[in-house]
Structure formats: C-alpha cells, structure tokens
Amino acid sequence: MCGIIGYVGNKSAVQILLDGLIRLEYRGYDSAGIATLADSQFHVLRRVGRVESLINAAGEADMAGHVGIGHTRWATHGVVSEKNAHPHQSFHGLFSITHNGVVENYESIKEFLLARGFTFESETDSEILANLIEYHFNKETDSENRFLKSVQKALFHVRGTYGLAILCRDCADEMVVARKSSPLLIGVGEGEMFVASDVSAIARYTHDIVYLNDGEIARLTPADFSITTLRNESVDVVKCELDWQIEDADRSGYEHYMLKEIFEQPRALENAMRGRFSDDLSTARFGGLRMTIRELRQVDRILFCACGTAWIACLVAEYLIEKYARIPVEVEYASEFRYKNSPLDKNTLVFVISQSGETLDTMAALQEAKRKGFRTLAITNVVGSTIARESDGGIYQHSGPEIGVASTKAFTAQICVAAMLALYLGRIRDMSFEEGVLFVQALHDLPNVVERVLAQKDSIEKIAEKYAHHNDMLFLGRQEMFPIALEGALKLKEISYMHSEGYPAAEMKHGPIALVSEKCPCFFLAPQRSILQKNIANIQEVRSRRAKVIAVATVGSELGEKFVDDLIPIPEVHPALQPIVATIPVQLFAYYVAKFRGCDIDKPRNLAKSVTVE
Ligand code: F6R
C-alpha cells in the first residue's frame, strides 16, 4: 500500500528518491516525503497529495546528501496530513524512518515512551518506532553495532507488520532495513545500495535484487550489505536477476497505464503460455508445480483463495476446473478463509492467486493452509514475491509489471493459467487427446482473438459515452460469465465511482430487479450459445422495465440488435476461453466511462495497488 525507497551511495540521493517515489506512487498516494542525511543533519520534506507536489517543493529545498529514504503513504493510523506523512523523526532527532505496515501494540509502546519523556508529533504508529529505536540506541553499549543492535532490540517489542528503512544521524553512510509481512528488497549496485518495497522503484538502477524474508534485518553501506535475523543469526543471501526492463513500466505513449495494460493483453497471454504446451500439443505443462502426476491424480478437491479481482479469477477457475478436469473446486475470500477454520478434506490442494504476491490476507490464507498441512500452490505475477516464495510450488503469470491500480492484464493472464491448469488436470484424468488438441489450438489462437476485440475500442468508447452519466448499473451473466459480470462491475465502480453490481443473470429476479428502471442500465455478458435463450429471457425482463441493455454476444448469434440497445460482438472461441475474450469489452467500457467522468483512472480514490494491511 505505502511505498518505500532508500539509497546509500556516492550520488546525490534526492533525485533517486523522487524518481523512485514516482514509480511507487501507484501503491498509495495520499502523501509523500523524503529525508536525506548530510553533515550529521537530516533534511526532511513532506507533502500532502501526489508526489508531484513533493517534487515541486524539493526544487526549492536544500536536500544535500548521498544517503536518503522516501515514502508514499496510504493512511492507516492518523489523518492525511504533513505531520503524519513519513519519514518520521525520533524525538531527539537521532533517527529518521519510513515504515510500511501496522504496529498493533503501538498504544502500549507509546505509553512506555511517554513515561520516559518522549513526545510525539504525529498520530501515526510509525513515529513510535523511531522513538523506540532511539530509546534503545541511548542504552546500547556495543559501539560498533549500535545502530543495528538498537533496531533489533526495538523490533523485539513490536507486534504487527513492518517494512522499514531507517537512517541514524550519528551513522553516516549507513542504513538499516527490516521486514515482517511487508515486502522489502535490496538492490545491489556498484558502490551504491538501494532498498525498496517494490522493484519498479529501483529497476532503472540495478537488476541485482535480494528479497528480504520475514524476520530479517539488513545493514547497508555504499560498498556492502549484510543480512541477519532479529536474533543476529546469519542468513543465506539469495540474489535474483530482474527479468524485465524499466521501459516495461513506462506508459509508452498511452494516456493511462490502465489503457496500456489493456492493450498489452495479447502479449501477456502469449507470455503466460510460452513454453507451456506438451510436444504433442494436446496438453499444458508447468515447471513449478513440484507435484508428480501421481500426486495430482490423488487430489480430490481444490480450494482457491484470493482477494478482489484475483478472487474473481478464482471463480472462473472453479467453472473451468470443474468442467474440464471434473475436480470439485471451492473458492474463498482469503480474508474469510484465514479466520474461518474450514474443515478441509485431506486430499485438498490449496491454490492462491495474487498478482502482486504480497496481498496480506492472501499470504495469511496460504500460511493457514500450510500450517494445517495442506499442499499450497500459487499463481502470481511478481517473481520472488512473498507468496511466490512461501508456497510449495506455483505458476508465474509473466504478465510484466502491472502499474494501473485496476487489474487488467494480470486478470486475463490468471484466467489463462487457470484454463491451462484445467486442461492439464483434465488430461491426466479423463479428457481425450482430441479435446486436448482443440483446447491447445484455441489457446494458441487466443492472443489474435483478443487483438480483434481490442480493435473495437472506438465503438466501445461511443457506447461508454452514452452511459457515463448514469449512477447505477447492473452486470449480469450466467455460468462462467457470472464472474465476468462481477469483474465488469468491480472495474466500473473502482475507477469511475459509478455504483455497479454483478449478479448471475437469473438471480437478478430475486432482489436486484427492484433497482431496474430506465435509470439503471443492464450490461449482459451473454456469448454462450447453449444458454442463449435463457439470457434473452432475462434481457426481455429488464427491457420490459425500461432498462437500457448493453450486451456482449458472439458474432452471428441470435442475440442481435433487436434485443438490445448496444451490442458488442466478440468472436466465437472455445467455451473455456470465452471469459477472457468477454473481459476485454468490460475493461474498455469501464475505462472510457471513467474517462468521460473525468476520473483519475490510474489512481482511483482510496485504492492501493498492493494491499498489505488486513
Ligand atoms: C481490482 C484489483 C484488486 C486486486 C486485489 C488483489 O482491480 O486490482 O481487487 O485484485 O487487491 O491483489 P493481488 O492480486 O495483488 O493479490
């Protein structure tokens, strides 16, 4: 949610920090700040609002220093204000810190510190940490490791989550960073070191990355870094090579990241499939499942857990795996599963889906399933992310960086992976060779089909213009189009702030139909031929209540213009892939409605890209 960037090296820190914050802004954006250290003095600058206001202020400020930390905030404790923005300084000005996460026992720590003469400037839980570290620093006797040791000791008393980057006024050219349930990584340069909560912040400077694990703490100097645990135990350092270029994270001439990412979908789908078909082209294969075919055949049930759009991808996976692999599937919100203590069958396989690989509730659901002895697999986009590392195995989506807060290309890639999984599990059970070959062929053609739907962007824009003034909208679909109805409603509400709901089309009669009127248009996802008449009947029901109807239907289907006000035709594809193809129109529709309503599409209000609090 919040973003962290830090630098120790021989260059001026301020530009590197600001550049990093711009790249992190999509994670959270209600305030931002930087602190540099020069001549045993902190230079601190904080601003409410976007990073741009910080950049403007930095132009006039004196921000010398080759060491610095920066932060973008998404408020949890304390209102959005300059005082509550990070970095926070300790009471006597010895420490400057940026913190992602939540200190759950901050009130008792605050009382402890107040009783010892510390005072506080902000309402945040993070400022407590700066003071607690200062308290331990003043008592520390190990003069050589005083900074590191005082952070270690302070963190022993902290309950909650943190990604931390800390500077000490008395320790020039040094930074201490630590992590617990909040992502943090070190970028290794030549004569310089970086720290960030998200690799996009430092990708332009180095591709040598070390991901910190929970409970680890690191000391960074321009020349070196060392990692230990909070108990000072040594840690094996694993370096990774970043597999994408900084250009992948630029807007490349598109007005918004969201639009760029919608248009990247053909390539993202190709990447999700690359190298993943059997030589006889009748099934999929995955390198990272770490399960034998024998073990996979013993799976009696699959449980999928995720949040938000990734949870919707799980619902599509449920339809596909049940239909093609004949394995019963359940889907749970990760936030519900983690506290629910659901009884699970012993041969249950637990899958989590997460674009970022850092969503806290999804991570907690994964840990809960592991704790109970279940095999856990993950579908993630971010290589080296916490979820990718903590699961027993998994499948990378390879969608490239997704910067727009509203998930688009990651969603369709997740469904693509789920379809391939359904194919793979089906083929080791009772799907025929012929069915498998047709499935693979359809997957192969999918990027082209998606390209053809994207080519309808202008007509979808015109439709969006007609409906952009409405306050409510229903998205309706049956079977595997029900999740796409949910996704259409979610995309629309999150970026355009138009109230919208997704429902199974027939379920509409059991309540939501009360909303239907000329003021509440209905968006039908109805490409399936087998249930076309059922969808047409539902369309008639809402039209007879004067609702305008937009429909996504297969080219040449009976569902033509006589039944609807606005038709978005999509090509005929293998039924397993219809959810992907039908997603494109709802993404474009939401995008253009938001644009006509003048919304800040890449940074919708109150949202953050990666939700690392409960
Ligand atoms: C909506 C959206 C969110 C995410 C959710 C999970 O467009 O992007 O609902 O899908 O926060 O995020 P990940 O997939 O990173 O776990």
Side-chain angles (χ1 to χ4, degrees):
M1 310 204 84
C2 309
I4 287 179
I5 167 93
Y7 177 76
V8 269
N10 43 33
K11 300 191 187 110
S12 164
V14 62
Q15 208 41 53
I16 293 168
L17 298 177
L18 292 173
D19 177 62
L21 291 184
I22 285 282
R23 306 224 166 243
L24 288 174
E25 200 177 16
Y26 73 100
R27 295 178 67 99
Y29 29 76
D30 53 41
S31 49
I34 51 175
T36 57
L37 176 61
D39 304 325
S40 299
Q41 238 198 313
F42 285 124
H43 302 274
V44 183
L45 194 66
R46 300 180 290 186
R47 285 293 179 271
V48 166
R50 296 285 153 83
V51 174
E52 210 178 300
S53 52
L54 185 74
I55 293 175
N56 293 338
E60 291 154 22
D62 172 19
M63 299 290 294
H66 297 160
V67 178
I69 51 180
H71 191 260
T72 53
R73 179 169 187 247
W74 188 91
T76 56
H77 290 66
V79 295
V80 177
S81 70
E82 221 162 86
K83 277 195 175 159
N84 287 340
H86 301 217
H88 290 289
Q89 303 359 282
S90 60
F91 178 46
H92 297 102
L94 268 177
F95 290 92
S96 183
I97 76 162
T98 57
H99 167 226
N100 285 355
V102 175
V103 180
E104 285 167 8
N105 56 338
Y106 85 102
E107 281 185 355
S108 58
I109 297 177
K110 189 169 183 174
E111 269 171 36
F112 172 86
L113 292 166
L114 282 170
R116 281 151 187 83
F118 285 83
T119 61
F120 297 85
E121 201 196 26
S122 77
E123 301 152 16
T124 66
D125 52 337
S126 308
E127 192 187 1
I128 313 288
L129 290 176
N131 285 321
L132 189 62
I133 294 165
E134 187 173 283
Y135 168 80
H136 284 283
F137 188 81
N138 289 336
K139 294 201 315 176
E140 184 56 55
T141 48
D142 178 351
S143 54
E144 230 172 70
N145 299 302
R146 203 169 164 201
F147 182 8
L148 182 76
K149 285 262 172 85
S150 52
V151 179
Q152 279 172 330
K153 286 184 181 160
L155 292 182
F156 267 126
H157 299 283
V158 172
R159 212 176 56 232
T161 58
Y162 48 79
L164 280 169
I166 311 158
L167 298 180
C168 176
R169 195 186 63 192
D170 292 353
C171 308
D173 288 342
E174 199 177 325
M175 183 186 310
V176 171
V177 303
R179 105 156 241 176
K180 188 177 164 214
S181 300
S182 187
L184 210 60
L185 53 96
I186 296 170
V188 182
E190 286 199 9
E192 55 187 0
M193 297 288 158
F194 305 82
V195 66
S197 51
D198 181 327
V199 75
S200 59
I202 58 172
R204 72 162 41 185
Y205 305 108
T206 176
H207 277 194
D208 278 346
I209 306 295
V210 177
Y211 291 93
L212 282 192
N213 292 308
D214 273 354
E216 290 180 357
I217 181 163
R219 174 195 219 159
L220 279 58
T221 64
D224 208 357
F225 70 94
S226 58
I227 307 179
T228 60
T229 65
L230 282 193
R231 292 183 193 283
N232 227 14
E233 295 139 339
S234 60
V235 160
D236 288 337
V237 173
V238 183
K239 265 196 202 172
C240 304
E241 177 80 11
L242 186 62
D243 66 349
W244 51 264
Q245 301 298 321
I246 191 66
E247 296 73 48
D248 294 334
D250 285 335
R251 270 196 280 126
S252 320
Y254 283 92
E255 199 174 342
H256 295 100
Y257 280 111
M258 183 179 176
L259 191 63
K260 176 191 175 223
E261 288 158 8
I262 289 173
F263 276 84
E264 276 173 352
Q265 287 177 109
R267 206 182 68 182
L269 292 166
E270 270 166 22
N271 290 342
M273 291 187 268
R274 181 160 297 120
R276 287 186 169 156
F277 293 119
S278 63
D279 294 342
D280 66 358
L281 298 180
S282 77
T283 186
R285 62 179 175 205
F286 300 101
L289 292 182
R290 299 202 195 117
M291 284 180 79
T292 62
I293 288 185
R294 196 187 152 90
E295 285 171 327
L296 284 165
R297 279 202 199 102
Q298 279 162 0
V299 170
D300 290 334
R301 187 168 282 274
I302 299 181
L303 172 73
F304 276 93
C305 286
C307 302
T309 284
W311 175 81
I312 296 174
C314 295
L315 291 183
V316 181
E318 176 184 5
Y319 279 100
L320 298 181
I321 292 173
E322 290 199 338
K323 184 166 173 182
Y324 295 100
R326 312 295 301 152
I327 303 173
V329 175
E330 275 171 77
V331 178
E332 291 263 19
Y333 286 110
S335 53
E336 289 296 309
F337 173 77
R338 63 180 291 197
Y339 294 121
K340 195 170 158 197
N341 202 22
S342 304
L344 293 182
D345 228 51
K346 106 167 164 333
N347 290 334
T348 302
L349 177 62
V350 177
F351 251 104
V352 297
I353 302 187
S354 173
Q355 185 285 127
S356 63
E358 301 294 351
T359 301
L360 190 71
D361 280 322
T362 309
M363 180 64 210
L366 174 93
Q367 283 168 341
E368 183 64 12
K370 275 180 87 170
R371 189 171 299 122
K372 291 181 172 157
F374 292 96
R375 176 93 67 151
T376 57
L377 298 178
I379 298 174
T380 45
N381 189 30
V382 179
V383 175
S385 57
T386 313
I387 288 175
R389 285 179 292 139
E390 294 251 333
S391 51
D392 297 319
I395 306 170
Y396 279 121
Q397 310 175 202
H398 298 306
S399 316
E402 189 180 67
I403 310 286
V405 165
S407 185
T408 51
K409 64 175 179 173
F411 175 66
T412 46
Q414 284 159 357
I415 306 180
C416 183
V417 168
M420 293 172 76
L421 196 61
L423 165 67
Y424 177 64
L425 295 173
R427 287 285 291 132
I428 60 171
R429 289 171 180 239
D430 64 358
M431 187 191 284
S432 72
F433 175 80
E434 194 187 349
E435 264 183 282
V437 167
L438 290 175
F439 206 129
V440 170
Q441 253 166 29
L443 281 161
H444 186 263
D445 296 342
L446 181 64
N448 273 334
V449 176
V450 167
E451 203 83 69
R452 273 151 59 203
V453 183
L454 288 169
Q456 295 186 58
K457 95 178 207 321
D458 293 344
S459 57
I460 296 173
E461 180 176 2
K462 284 202 184 92
I463 297 173
E465 189 174 11
K466 275 170 67 179
Y467 293 90
H469 65 284
H470 280 277
N471 293 325
D472 298 285
M473 188 170 275
L474 284 181
F475 285 75
L476 301 160
R478 287 166 177 262
Q479 302 289 295
E480 60 280 8
M481 286 302 129
F482 160 53
I484 308 310
L486 289 177
E487 175 64 1
L490 180 65
K491 284 297 88 107
L492 188 64
K493 74 179 89 162
E494 70 180 326
I495 61 167
S496 79
Y497 317 138
M498 186 193 292
H499 170 245
S500 45
E501 302 291 338
Y503 265 90
E507 192 60 25
M508 176 257 308
K509 287 198 289 294
H510 302 278
I513 199 163
L515 300 173
V516 171
S517 73
E518 71 278 14
K519 292 193 177 141
C520 179
C522 295
F523 196 126
F524 276 82
L525 290 136
Q528 306 107 311
R529 286 193 191 276
S530 57
I531 46 172
L532 186 66
Q533 293 311 324
K534 306 288 171 202
N535 274 317
I536 290 180
N538 296 137
I539 289 173
Q540 305 285 35
E541 284 156 9
V542 300
R543 288 195 99 192
S544 58
R545 285 160 182 86
R546 298 196 309 281
K548 295 266 185 247
V549 170
I550 309 162
V552 169
T554 305
V555 175
S557 103
E558 206 186 303
L559 179 53
E561 255 134 18
K562 76 172 183 208
F563 291 110
V564 300
D565 299 280
D566 291 285
L567 186 70
I568 306 175
I570 58 170
E572 176 102 58
V573 282
H574 190 293
L577 306 182
Q578 268 175 352
I580 296 177
V581 180
T583 297
I584 313 300
V586 299
Q587 292 173 339
L588 285 170
F589 180 78
Y591 173 83
Y592 285 115
V593 168
K595 198 169 159 204
F596 285 116
R597 288 162 78 100
C599 299
D600 192 348
I601 292 176
D602 282 332
K603 299 189 185 78
R605 71 180 175 218
N606 303 339
L607 294 177
K609 183 66 183 162
S610 170
V611 182
T612 49
V613 293
E614 282 196 47

